[in-house]
Amino acid sequence: MMPFGYTRPADVASAVALLAAHPGALALAGGTNLVDLMKLGVERPALLVDIARLPLDRIEATPAGGLRIGATVRNSDLAAHPLVRERYPLLAEAVLAGASGQLRNAATTGGNLLQRTRCLYFQDVSKPCNKRRPGTGCPARTGVHRDLGVLGTSEHCVATHPSDLAVALVALDATVRLTGPDGDRTFPLAAFHRLPGDSPERDTELGPAELVTAVELPPPPAGARSVYRKVRDRASFAFATCSLAALLTLRDGRVDTVRLAFGALAPRPWRALTAEAALHGQPATPEVIGRALAAELAAARPLPDNAFKLTLARRLAVRELVRLADPQEHR
Ligand SMILES: Cc1cc2nc3c(=O)[nH]c(=O)nc-3n(C[C@H](O)[C@H](O)[C@H](O)COP(=O)(O)OP(=O)(O)OC[C@H]3O[C@@H](n4cnc5c(N)ncnc54)[C@H](O)[C@@H]3O)c2cc1C
Ligand code: SF4
């Protein structure tokens, strides 16, 4: 048994003050990741600051025509919200591709973005792991790494970020709103999750006593078609082997706006900016898309058992973009 404290503050300022006053404290939202990691002995918070009932559970249209999603909005409520389904259908698709109905009823927007990697060594306290215990090594590189990263990794860590929701949000140009002892700040979500470099123990740019309070979306591009597609080992209740959030508009038969983000390839949702630039102004043919993806993936550093992810990612993007560009395909 590991003793820990539990408290449920009434407002955001009190939650931040508690986190700042207790360096070993962690925020508890739906608990679907944190409590599992506590049972495994991976997380050992001295105090849980329960934020699940803070008034951060609203989804609101912004004056700019976008959407503001509170940090404690449950995944189920997010996927079912009329404004999400109407304006950001790929967001609903991504949420519904994750976990199970029961988990989505408990899991929150902020918690989903901040869930930890599913790397087997990270979850097994009998094994070394640089992310869990800095300086102990990365057994995944020579061990089980089929599901781990091919882009943005380092010699110190090759873990992937497991969220589906985050991938869709990155393709939608989301920003994340944080509040902490020094006030509020916003971050582009695409830069919120850190690449491991030589400090893989830090997953994100979140400060020690900061909370995610909301995620904000700009309006979607007019006339955009979009999709979230997840490849996984079984059709439900499985994390992605590779996933893609894609959004496309055409002008005179050529790519006008394209946004591509991959999941399960990297320590963060991977926005494919090189491929996007190569596609702009081009016809959306399989050959053109394939070349753009080859340019994007040229920087990959796969390990022996996960090089297949490069072929998978390229084929997934070609198939989905060709379908989005086809006016006969109804979505
Ligand atoms: C069996 C299983 C299958 C799953 N499959 C998928 C899947 O296919 N796709 C997918 O995307 N996810 C999947 N998940 C993960 C699930 O979506 C996450 O566990 C969930 O989204 C986490 O949200 P939560 O509110 O429960 O977070 P918690 O478990 O409460 O917290 C997670 C972390 O975030 C921190 N935190 C939470 N909220 C905040 C905040 N507002 N500010 C600062 N810190 C915060 C906590 O301190 C903790 O470190 C699966 C989980 C399980 C158990
Ligand atoms: S990939 Fe990262 S999380 Fe997995 S064992 Fe290596 S250091 Fe740990």
Side-chain angles (χ1 to χ4, degrees):
M1 268 298 277
M2 223 207 71
F4 61 89
Y6 171 90
T7 180
R8 194 198 294 160
D11 52 43
V12 172
S14 311
V16 168
L18 279 161
L19 290 168
H22 299 86
L26 280 178
L28 174 73
T32 60
N33 186 226
L34 179 52
V35 174
D36 281 0
L37 292 176
M38 288 172 69
K39 288 181 194 163
L40 292 168
V42 174
E43 298 277 21
R44 294 169 165 267
L47 177 68
L48 290 178
V49 178
D50 189 342
I51 61 165
R53 291 180 217 188
L54 293 181
L56 300 171
D57 59 349
R58 280 191 286 280
I59 299 176
E60 297 162 319
T62 64
L67 206 63
R68 188 170 205 270
I69 304 161
T72 61
V73 170
R74 307 287 168 167
N75 289 180
S76 304
D77 295 333
L78 179 60
H81 197 278
L83 284 176
V84 172
R85 297 179 77 90
E86 182 195 320
R87 294 195 205 163
Y88 306 96
L90 88 157
L91 197 53
E93 288 173 36
V95 172
L96 294 175
S100 65
Q102 290 93 333
L103 283 162
R104 292 192 297 268
N105 286 343
T108 63
T109 304
N112 189 290
L113 302 182
L114 289 158
Q115 63 176 298
R116 315 276 333 251
T117 183
R118 308 305 286 200
C119 173
L120 296 176
Y121 303 98
F122 175 76
Q123 295 180 318
D124 181 348
V125 293
S126 72
K127 301 286 190 301
C129 166
N130 284 330
K131 189 182 272 301
R132 183 170 29 76
R133 285 188 57 208
T136 54
C138 176
R141 293 186 65 84
T142 50
V144 180
H145 55 246
R146 172 187 178 271
D147 291 329
L148 300 186
V150 293
L151 285 163
T153 56
S154 77
E155 61 181 295
H156 301 288
C157 182
V158 292
T160 49
H161 193 266
S163 167
D164 289 296
L165 169 63
V167 179
L169 288 173
V170 162
L172 291 167
D173 274 345
T175 52
V176 62
R177 186 170 281 274
L178 312 177
T179 193
D182 299 327
D184 296 345
R185 56 188 186 128
T186 54
F187 236 91
L189 185 61
F192 182 59
H193 295 92
R194 293 180 68 255
L195 298 183
D198 56 9
S199 53
E201 67 278 9
R202 282 190 59 208
D203 289 356
T204 69
E205 298 293 342
L206 190 79
E210 274 186 315
L211 285 177
V212 171
T213 53
V215 172
E216 290 180 358
L217 295 174
R225 302 177 87 201
S226 66
V227 69
Y228 185 76
R229 190 71 69 203
K230 177 173 177 179
V231 179
R232 47 188 156 170
D233 285 340
R234 56 171 190 255
S236 77
F237 209 30
F239 287 91
T241 304
C242 176
S243 68
L244 173 73
L247 185 149
L248 182 73
T249 67
L250 298 177
R251 185 190 293 246
D252 301 328
R254 289 175 178 262
V255 173
D256 190 23
T257 307
V258 61
R259 302 213 202 118
L260 298 173
F262 287 100
L265 295 189
R268 60 163 59 141
W270 191 264
R271 183 76 184 259
L273 294 174
T274 303
E276 290 178 16
L279 284 167
H280 188 72
Q282 302 297 315
T285 63
E287 297 72 27
V288 169
I289 302 166
R291 279 198 298 276
L293 263 295
E296 181 69 48
L297 299 172
R301 288 185 296 182
L303 294 165
D305 296 339
N306 66 9
F308 76 95
K309 284 192 172 189
L310 301 179
T311 312
L312 185 57
R314 183 170 45 76
R315 289 187 180 161
L316 187 60
V318 169
R319 193 183 79 154
E320 295 305 329
L321 284 177
V322 166
R323 290 173 76 173
L324 286 179
D326 181 353
Q328 305 302 320
E329 286 271 350
H330 291 291
R331 291 197 47 79

